[in-house]
Amino acid sequence: MTPSSRSSSRSRSARALVALAAVIVIMLISVLGNQTLSPGKWQQQFKVRLGLDLSGGTELVLQAQTHDGKAPASGEMQQAISVLQSRVNGTGNSGAQVQQQGSDMINVTVPGTPSANVVSLVTQASQLSVRPVYLEAPYVPPSATGASPVAYGDSALVNAATMKLFDKEVCQPAANANAVNPSWQKTVGYSLRGDQWAALKGQIVSCDSSGTKYVLGQAVYVGGDITSVTAGVQQSSGQWVVDLSLNAGAGASFGALTTSQYKAHYAGYQSGSQDDRALDSTAVVLDGNVTSAEVTAEPITAGNVQITGGGSAGFTQAQATALADALKYGSLPLDFQLLDENSVSAEVGHASLAAGLTAGIIGLSLVTIYLFAYYRGLGLVAVSSLLLAALLAYLSVVLLSKYENFTMTLSAIAGLIVAIGITADSFIVYFERLRDAIRDGSALRPAAVSGWKRARRTILMSDTVSFLAAVLLYHFAVSDVQGFAYTLGLTTLIDLLVVFLFTKPMVTLLAGTRFFGGGHRWSGLDPARLGAKTPWRSATR
């Protein structure tokens, strides 16, 4: 090897090490985020989300209900599972598992302490519709003897069957202004799906949380017509609201309705009439309950709608966020009854984790001893490669937890531990090819080059097979096995990064030192100890 080629090889090796250092620095800055310049808060940023088996959590058992009492269709159950998974993960409770049990039951497990709205979020059907108001009557308490509610609107717009239900219904106010109180539905024999209030093309009777009852026209738009939904604070009032954007068809229909209502409102204001004041209102109906019924102050033709929650208090932040999440991830095709809610302990998982970590530390210690005993000086490169792989894996897991809601489980930890063997296998393949070249009489510098060429192909093929196996396992497996496959694939990629940017460049640089380049008997590259055909150590000295 000529001096110029040796210089070029050392330069490439140095650049590779600098690139690896840059990757680590970028990962660290990404973990720290806006706390990069606040060392006192660094520790709080290095957190990994723990799964149910490590942190405990909550288990919910839901039973599907159908109008005819028959078992739900398998397609409806699969759609419900997909919606529930999206809803729970959308609240930040990553690592939740949603699994079917039997023909009509779903088991939902949420790691850690779930937010208060998780239970209502997974049981809420979230069928939303927006309808014009034909009649409304405020709640009259039973103590008001002889009093009857005064209905505002136009009874001529109401068909006879709906009018009969309206006269029969007595709405009860909810416990507070923003609570959901579906008990009114049972008083007229409604079920949760498929009955009167779910008829999108017909008139319905409904109640709000204050006890006001309504007759509403057919739906102008439904939840499926919503293209985007966000929860936020209204600048003018400081209250929480939900902002919706509608598709073109729904936007045109709603624009026509609000334009007509605005004209009716203006005409009623000019004539001084109050009898028809309900006719210029639009009701937002969620799962049969009126969440708000507001007067149309102006035509809404741009397809942008705002739901305020009704009442003087409006939405709380939790209510607005829960409604936005429910609408964002879709309506459930079935209604579910909460059968059971249990807290899951993490004691077994902690015991398994402690035992696994102890075994891992013992095993890694034995591997380290063996590496130094067998490879001697090269053991430094081997152990450093393992430590770098562990650092990169840890930073990757922290980043995934922070930005992608990754959850660490026992199976995922198993995937990380298995990957230690993959990393060890890679540098062992390289070291053995290097030592083979020395046995053939090659000096260390050319041996490092020829050994790498022979080892590189084997390492790439081995890691490719491991990565493909992880991808296939992740695709076809479920729940915990996916965690194992995910971390196995992740650490396989990390192995390639370490071998190409650290192990090989470091050996190339060490080949230029007297200790390794001279074939010291403790370097692990002693030609005499390796049985070289033409020992080169004395010539080097």
Side-chain angles (χ1 to χ4, degrees):
M1 182 178 291
T2 63
S4 61
S5 62
R6 287 198 298 268
S7 176
S8 176
S9 178
R10 288 195 296 268
S11 178
R12 288 195 300 269
S13 299
R15 288 198 297 267
L17 293 174
V18 170
L20 179 60
V23 169
I24 295 175
V25 170
I26 292 173
M27 294 178 74
L28 286 171
I29 294 176
S30 300
V31 169
L32 296 175
N34 55 11
Q35 305 298 332
T36 302
L37 302 179
S38 303
K41 299 180 180 180
W42 284 0
Q43 185 178 0
Q44 302 173 5
Q45 307 304 313
F46 290 89
K47 292 182 178 180
V48 177
R49 294 176 181 264
L50 300 179
L52 188 72
D53 50 1
L54 296 177
S55 64
T58 300
E59 181 181 44
L60 307 174
V61 180
L62 310 175
Q63 185 176 38
Q65 296 180 320
T66 58
H67 174 53
D68 55 11
K70 297 181 180 179
S74 59
E76 291 178 324
M77 291 294 286
Q78 291 303 313
Q79 183 183 351
I81 289 174
S82 177
V83 172
L84 288 173
Q85 186 80 55
S86 299
R87 284 186 183 182
V88 178
N89 287 343
T91 64
N93 294 282
S94 62
Q97 295 183 9
V98 182
Q99 298 175 323
Q100 183 173 346
Q101 294 182 341
S103 61
D104 63 347
M105 298 180 67
I106 290 180
N107 183 273
V108 181
T109 53
V110 184
T113 304
S115 56
N117 65 332
V118 167
V119 176
S120 62
L121 189 60
V122 299
T123 56
Q124 187 177 16
S126 297
Q127 184 190 60
L128 178 137
S129 62
V130 173
R131 302 169 180 265
V133 177
Y134 290 165
L135 281 178
E136 70 174 66
Y139 171 70
V140 175
S143 59
T145 306
S148 58
V150 178
Y152 299 100
D154 189 351
S155 58
L157 299 173
V158 184
N159 60 49
T162 305
M163 196 69 195
K164 184 178 179 180
L165 289 175
F166 181 74
D167 292 336
K168 179 182 178 180
E169 176 57 54
V170 177
C171 297
Q172 295 290 332
N176 60 71
N178 293 306
V180 175
N181 184 15
S183 60
W184 64 267
Q185 298 167 359
K186 301 177 182 178
T187 66
V188 290
Y190 297 165
S191 68
L192 290 178
R193 179 73 58 175
D195 277 313
Q196 188 262 356
W197 65 258
L200 299 178
K201 294 185 178 181
Q203 298 177 358
I204 68 169
V205 176
S206 183
C207 298
D208 64 13
S209 59
S210 66
T212 301
K213 62 180 178 179
Y214 301 84
V215 173
L216 307 175
Q218 73 175 25
V220 182
Y221 68 85
V222 296
D225 296 320
I226 299 173
T227 58
S228 67
V229 54
T230 57
V233 178
Q234 189 180 45
Q235 296 297 327
S236 59
S237 64
Q239 295 180 340
W240 278 87
V241 297
V242 177
D243 292 307
L244 311 176
S245 294
L246 306 177
N247 59 33
S253 299
F254 190 63
L257 172 65
T258 54
T259 299
S260 174
Q261 288 180 331
Y262 177 72
K263 291 179 180 178
H265 173 79
Y266 183 77
Y269 175 79
Q270 291 292 330
S271 64
S273 173
Q274 297 295 316
D275 294 335
D276 297 337
R277 65 183 184 183
L279 297 178
D280 55 8
S281 298
T282 303
V284 178
V285 184
L286 183 65
D287 294 338
N289 298 281
V290 173
T291 62
S292 66
E294 302 176 2
V295 173
T296 300
E298 60 181 355
I300 303 174
T301 58
N304 298 320
V305 184
Q306 190 173 83
I307 303 176
T308 62
S312 59
F315 284 129
T316 64
Q317 180 179 357
Q319 290 168 335
T321 302
L323 175 59
D325 287 339
L327 297 177
K328 184 186 303 180
Y329 299 113
S331 301
L332 289 173
L334 298 164
D335 291 288
F336 290 90
Q337 178 184 2
L338 180 63
L339 294 184
D340 196 13
E341 180 180 355
N342 298 313
S343 295
V344 180
S345 173
E347 291 181 3
V348 176
H350 283 159
S352 300
L353 177 60
L357 290 177
T358 301
I361 292 173
I362 294 175
L364 190 59
S365 300
L366 292 176
V367 169
T368 300
I369 293 173
Y370 174 80
L371 289 174
F372 279 114
Y374 186 74
Y375 287 113
R376 300 195 177 188
L378 279 180
L380 289 172
V381 180
V383 173
S384 298
S385 298
L386 287 175
L387 293 176
L388 271 175
L391 174 63
L392 290 171
Y394 173 70
L395 292 177
S396 298
V397 168
V398 172
L399 285 172
L400 289 170
S401 295
K402 185 172 184 177
Y403 296 105
E404 296 296 331
N405 291 329
F406 173 79
T407 301
M408 180 62 68
T409 61
L410 284 174
S411 59
I413 292 176
L416 294 175
I417 294 176
V418 169
I420 295 176
I422 297 177
T423 302
D425 180 67
S426 296
F427 62 69
I428 287 175
V429 168
Y430 178 34
F431 289 171
E432 289 305 313
R433 295 295 182 270
L434 172 63
R435 286 153 68 101
D436 286 343
I438 292 175
R439 290 187 183 98
D440 291 337
S442 176
L444 180 56
R445 288 194 180 96
V449 175
S450 62
W452 172 247
K453 290 180 179 179
R454 296 171 59 189
R456 180 175 56 195
R457 185 182 185 88
T458 304
I459 293 172
L460 287 173
M461 289 298 295
S462 175
D463 282 351
T464 299
V465 170
S466 296
F467 185 75
L468 289 177
V471 170
L472 292 174
L473 188 61
Y474 183 86
H475 178 73
F476 291 106
V478 294
S479 64
D480 289 343
V481 181
Q482 286 186 319
F484 172 83
Y486 190 91
T487 52
L488 179 61
L490 172 66
T491 47
T492 300
L493 296 177
I494 291 175
D495 170 59
L496 289 174
L497 191 68
V498 171
V499 170
F500 276 79
L501 296 185
F502 178 78
T503 307
K504 191 271 179 181
M506 185 57 67
V507 171
T508 300
L509 292 178
L510 291 177
T513 64
R514 181 177 181 84
F515 180 78
F516 287 93
H520 192 280
R521 64 191 184 94
W522 290 107
S523 67
L525 298 172
D526 182 1
R529 182 171 177 268
L530 295 177
K533 295 178 181 179
T534 307
W536 44 264
R537 182 176 61 179
S538 58
T540 303
R541 289 180 174 175

